[in-house]
């Protein structure tokens, strides 16, 4: 019975499938259940998959030989394609561009800190990674040309963030690339934000740890006033 159970992490629902990591491998399975389909054949640990908007591609980071790089694979399975060769000790895929041609990610590949989280973009077909030039960030998403940036939004379940009450808590920034504004509507919240991403109609989703534990929330954002109201 124990052998039938897995340690499942980082689930992503896209269409009628759930993509997830188990035992360092990326899998996909129908939302109705069934036998998971293995997508990766990597010697290292695969982490934090994201899926393109049309569900055709899966991007993820993979740790091998002390370095963490960004890869992409067809959602039906097949050969993995390495997108970065930055020699990073940390890399986290954030999202695909809306047309699926680019992958946005955070990486320490060109920072002084081994766990630096500068944001980058790489074309899945050709070319070297390009800095976004918007400073550090942990969460990042783009919808209709509007950037959504989370700073200090490491997953609240991580031990060193639990019940954090200091002055370096999570912040949310929105806007176009050259005009990002911090969302002041979150200032009154008690607890640290995590896993920030767009939904639709200027709504975003995030998790936050409170005295009741970690919960998921949605919030409506007014792009013009950068106010936020929990719903």
């Amino acid at each position: 019975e124990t052998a039938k159970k897995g340690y499942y992490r980082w689930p992503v629902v896209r269409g009628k499938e759930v993509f997830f990591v188990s035992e360092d491998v990326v899998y996909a399975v129908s939302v109705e259940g069934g036998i998971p389909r293995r997508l990766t054949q990597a010697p290292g640990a695969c982490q934090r998959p994201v899926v393109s908007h049309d569900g055709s591609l899966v991007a993820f980071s993979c740790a091998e030989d002390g370095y963490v790089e960004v890869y992409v694979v067809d959602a039906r399975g097949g050969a993995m394609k390495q997108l970065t060769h930055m020699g990073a000790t940390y890399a986290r895929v954030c999202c695909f561009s809306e047309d699926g041609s680019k992958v946005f990610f955070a990486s320490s590949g060109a920072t002084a800190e081994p766990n630096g989280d500068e944001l980058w973009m790489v074309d899945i077909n050709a070319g070297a990674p390009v800095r976004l030039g918007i400073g550090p960030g942990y969460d990042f998403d783009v919808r209709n040309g509007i950037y959504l940036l989370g700073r200090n939004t490491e997953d609240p379940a991580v031990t060193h963030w639990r019940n954090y009450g200091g002055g370096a808590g999570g912040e949310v920034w929105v806007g176009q690339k050259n005009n990002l504004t911090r969302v002041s509507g979150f200032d009154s919240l008690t607890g640290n934000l995590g896993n920030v991403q767009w939904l639709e109609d200027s709504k975003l989703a995030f998790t936050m740890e409170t005295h009741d534990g970690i919960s998921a929330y949605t919030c409506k954002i007014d792009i013009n006033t950068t106010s936020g109201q929990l719903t």
Side-chain angles (χ1 to χ4, degrees):
E1 177 66 26
T2 301
K4 295 181 180 180
K5 298 179 179 180
Y7 187 69
Y8 309 115
R9 307 180 74 187
W10 305 310
V12 179
V13 178
R14 184 70 75 212
K16 296 182 178 180
E17 290 194 303
V18 180
F19 299 82
F20 62 94
V21 172
S22 180
E23 306 299 332
D24 301 330
V25 175
V26 180
Y27 291 91
V29 67
S30 169
V31 294
E32 298 177 354
I35 299 175
R37 180 174 72 255
R38 181 170 182 163
L39 302 184
T40 60
Q41 304 286 337
C46 296
Q47 305 167 353
R48 294 187 176 275
V50 300
V51 186
S52 61
H53 292 277
D54 65 1
S56 65
L57 295 171
V58 181
F60 55 95
S61 56
C62 183
E64 183 179 354
D65 296 330
Y67 299 109
V68 186
E69 304 291 354
V70 175
Y71 293 76
V72 69
V73 69
D74 192 291
R76 296 167 296 181
M80 295 167 40
K81 181 178 181 179
Q82 186 171 346
L83 300 183
T84 65
H85 299 80
M86 299 174 68
T89 56
Y90 165 81
R92 176 180 183 264
V93 177
C94 297
C95 68
F96 278 88
S97 62
E98 294 178 88
D99 64 1
S101 66
K102 300 175 179 63
V103 172
F104 295 92
F105 65 98
S107 173
S108 64
T111 64
E113 298 294 329
N115 294 320
D117 51 5
E118 188 175 9
L119 287 159
W120 297 74
M121 175 182 66
V122 63
D123 193 298
I124 65 172
N125 295 311
V130 177
R131 282 186 175 94
L132 291 190
I134 58 176
Y138 188 79
D139 291 310
F140 178 83
D141 201 1
V142 59
R143 187 69 58 89
N144 297 323
I146 302 298
Y147 285 9
L148 174 65
L149 172 65
R151 303 191 198 274
N152 299 322
T153 52
E154 186 169 350
D155 189 337
V158 176
T159 302
H160 71 269
W161 277 112
R162 291 187 67 82
N163 298 310
Y164 179 74
E171 295 182 346
V172 177
W173 296 65
V174 297
Q176 296 180 335
K177 179 179 179 180
N178 298 319
N179 188 29
L180 289 170
T181 304
R182 189 174 69 88
V183 179
S184 60
F186 292 98
D187 292 349
S188 61
L189 298 181
T190 57
N192 199 50
L193 307 175
N195 304 300
V196 182
Q197 59 183 289
W198 281 125
L199 292 178
E200 70 284 325
D201 299 328
S202 297
K203 277 189 176 182
L204 63 88
F206 63 94
T207 59
M208 185 173 67
E209 184 179 50
T210 66
H211 64 279
D212 294 322
I214 297 175
S215 300
Y217 298 85
T218 63
C219 178
K220 182 76 172 182
I221 294 294
D222 186 331
I223 301 299
N224 298 315
T225 63
T226 64
S227 63
Q229 297 294 326
L230 292 178
T231 59

